[in-house]
Amino acid sequence: MKIGSYYRSVAGCEIQVPPPCCVVILGAYGDLARRKLIPALYRLSANKLLPSNFCLLATDGVVMDREHYLTAMGEAVSKSLGVRFHNTSWHRFAEFVDYVSFDYGNLTAYSNMLKKRLMMLEKKHGTGENRVFYLAIPPSVFQSAVVNLGRAGLSDMQDNGFPHIVIEKPFGRDVASSARLDKALSIYFDERQVFRIDHYIAKETVQDMLMFRFANSIFEPLWNREFVDHVQITAAETLGVEHRAAYYEEAGVFRDMFQSHLFELLASCAMEPPVAFESERVRDERTKVFRSIRPFPSVDRLDEFMAIGQYGPGTIDGQHVAGYREEPGISPQSITPTFGALKIFVDNWRWNGVPFYLRSGKRLARTRTSVSIHFKPVPHLMFAGMMDRDIEPNIVVFRVQPDEGISLTFQTKMPGSRACLLEKPVQMNFSYGAPDVLEAYEWVLLDCMVGDQMLFLRKEGVELTWSLLTPLIERIEATTPVDLFPNYSAGSEGPEAARRLIETDGRTWLPLKRQVAEARPGLIQVGGFKRQRA
């Protein structure tokens, strides 16, 4: 990187502004670009976090001119951001955007059309040869796009610039396909040029998990098998497959959510403290967690560690919704799971014997992603003879979405009583109230341009997670009977098998419908009372 960076203050924090660069989005008219990438780049521009020498080359197979593309994207960004969208800021951002349609599978299109247009824009905007290629295209064409970029000479490191490539999950569909994709990447790109993106890691609460643990001496000493009973990681959503039927039929919940999202949340929760808060040191510790996960047992014992489900018809927010097999584009005999739950053990000194329960599903009772640390009960309850109910153990909940924040529950007595507990445990809540906080895709796009890989997945980590999940997925696809599904209603908490998975161990899932107390910075909620800090 030959041109330096500078910093800008946002919400009181210094954020690095990238060096001059050009972002090239392959699949720039697709759903991901409309909902996430273009809104994120627009917000970075509006907050003056993009370099003054910047350009965006949007590419897609859809034939249209630049004006039509900008009109469509302007409408999409306005819909996505609502009141945060401003026409003046959009028109200022649009000056740096160009559009070209071409065939991703055609090498000539890369070496002629794409390369020539890119060089013209780089000269116009003074970005040097600093390039970020973002593959927002179907996973089935990842490998051909990587190869064509390489053969066209667009992956070569230059004296006056860098090429980075960003790949969205899923990174393959099993161990073998992931290895083929990595092999193609390694031929044309060095590992330091490759950014395997999982935007969950960039969410504020996930990043704050490290700060919560390693910057507070009262929590880290308790973060181990001596004090933690179990950990729950949940990624639930009320949505169905929507317009992604073809993709989801091939992927299912384990490829779509577990291989990257849930395993990365597990790693952030379970990792050891890195020597320094640096990209490679943090990624080292995440990878060590994956190395320590106990492989799943043989087929005859797999049900002790796994539950699967597929949603049937039901009710969401008072509206009737169809079952998975009734969705457009889905086979009426489909055995694709839309719900999964796993019990995982991390076999190392810190976590030996502590179960991690992971679950994810579609058409559930509530949209919620969270990581909850459930501590052990007190060893001796001296109040037992004075109370008519049990005392709930302490829980720390990291709310990843939609209401990002952290809550801690603990017990206290009712004011004015001798030994009566409050009706509900005390909840101390923290939520992110600053309107200028960057969202996940804004962070990862900045880091792609800067070249910081801390929030991105390493090749070895992807290999390890696929090696754990591939035998399980193959078993599901080979042995699941058609009449097993559907086994949970849309709008419910999930299948009975998931309840049995955790209750067999004497534990219960946190209910999806439980509402975490609303919070704002500085507000503590105690039972039914709210007290403002002085």
Side-chain angles (χ1 to χ4, degrees), residues 8 41-49 84 89 92-93:
R8 183 174 183 274
L41 287 169
Y42 160 78
R43 280 250 302 163
L44 290 174
S45 173
N47 286 322
K48 297 180 173 56
L49 288 171
R84 294 182 295 171
S89 297
R92 189 182 306 120
F93 169 69

Side-chain angles (χ1 to χ4, degrees), residues 293-470:
I293 294 177
R294 185 187 304 175
F296 293 105
S298 57
V299 171
D300 58 333
R301 291 189 56 221
L302 198 52
D303 287 343
E304 299 174 25
F305 296 84
M306 178 189 75
I308 59 174
Q310 185 188 95
Y311 66 84
T315 302
I316 301 283
D317 295 330
Q319 300 293 319
H320 175 79
V321 296
Y324 179 74
R325 291 175 174 175
E326 300 164 358
E327 302 274 16
I330 301 298
S331 166
Q333 303 295 311
S334 174
I335 59 168
T336 298
T338 61
F339 179 97
L342 295 177
K343 178 167 66 175
I344 289 175
F345 288 95
V346 178
D347 288 338
N348 61 18
W349 189 277
R350 180 185 292 264
W351 296 112
N352 184 49
V354 177
F356 288 73
Y357 298 97
L358 281 61
R359 62 174 170 168
S360 180
K362 289 188 170 296
R363 287 296 191 208
L364 293 174
R366 179 182 169 207
T367 294
R368 189 185 80 190
T369 299
S370 64
V371 178
S372 55
I373 316 300
H374 299 248
F375 290 92
K376 292 181 178 180
V378 293
H380 171 68
L381 186 58
M382 67 181 191
F383 307 106
M386 306 171 65
M387 297 181 176
D388 58 0
R389 62 188 176 93
D390 293 333
I391 290 183
E392 296 181 26
N394 306 114
I395 305 173
V396 173
V397 180
F398 296 90
R399 303 188 305 274
V400 178
Q401 65 179 18
D403 174 29
E404 293 187 67
I406 305 169
S407 67
L408 167 66
T409 63
F410 56 91
Q411 301 291 343
T412 189
K413 75 179 189 72
M414 181 74 73
S417 69
R418 183 176 179 82
C420 291
L421 291 178
L422 284 173
E423 191 64 29
K424 296 180 180 179
V426 173
Q427 282 194 341
M428 296 183 67
N429 285 293
F430 167 75
S431 291
Y432 300 95
D436 292 326
V437 170
L438 297 187
E439 296 182 355
Y441 268 96
E442 295 164 34
W443 275 121
V444 294
L445 284 165
L446 276 181
D447 285 347
C448 293
M449 291 182 263
V450 169
D452 186 342
Q453 293 181 305
M454 183 182 293
L455 301 179
F456 298 85
L457 282 62
R458 188 186 276 169
K459 175 183 176 182
E460 183 185 359
V462 174
E463 292 173 351
L464 288 166
T465 53
W466 272 127
S467 67
L468 288 163
L469 284 175
T470 296

Side-chain angles (χ1 to χ4, degrees), residues 198-214 223 233-234 260-271 277 282 286 369-371 397-401 404-406 432 440 443 454-455:
D198 184 343
H199 71 280
Y200 267 45
I201 309 176
K203 287 185 174 292
E204 284 296 333
T205 305
V206 180
Q207 294 185 67
D208 215 6
M209 203 179 297
L210 302 187
M211 190 69 68
F212 184 89
R213 289 181 59 189
F214 303 134
W223 217 265
I233 301 176
T234 295
S260 181
H261 290 340
L262 268 68
F263 272 48
E264 287 297 325
L265 291 177
L266 186 155
S268 295
C269 170
M271 63 185 276
F277 191 63
V282 172
R286 283 201 181 101
T369 299
S370 64
V371 178
V397 180
F398 296 90
R399 303 188 305 274
V400 178
Q401 65 179 18
E404 293 187 67
I406 305 169
Y432 300 95
W443 275 121
M454 183 182 293
L455 301 179

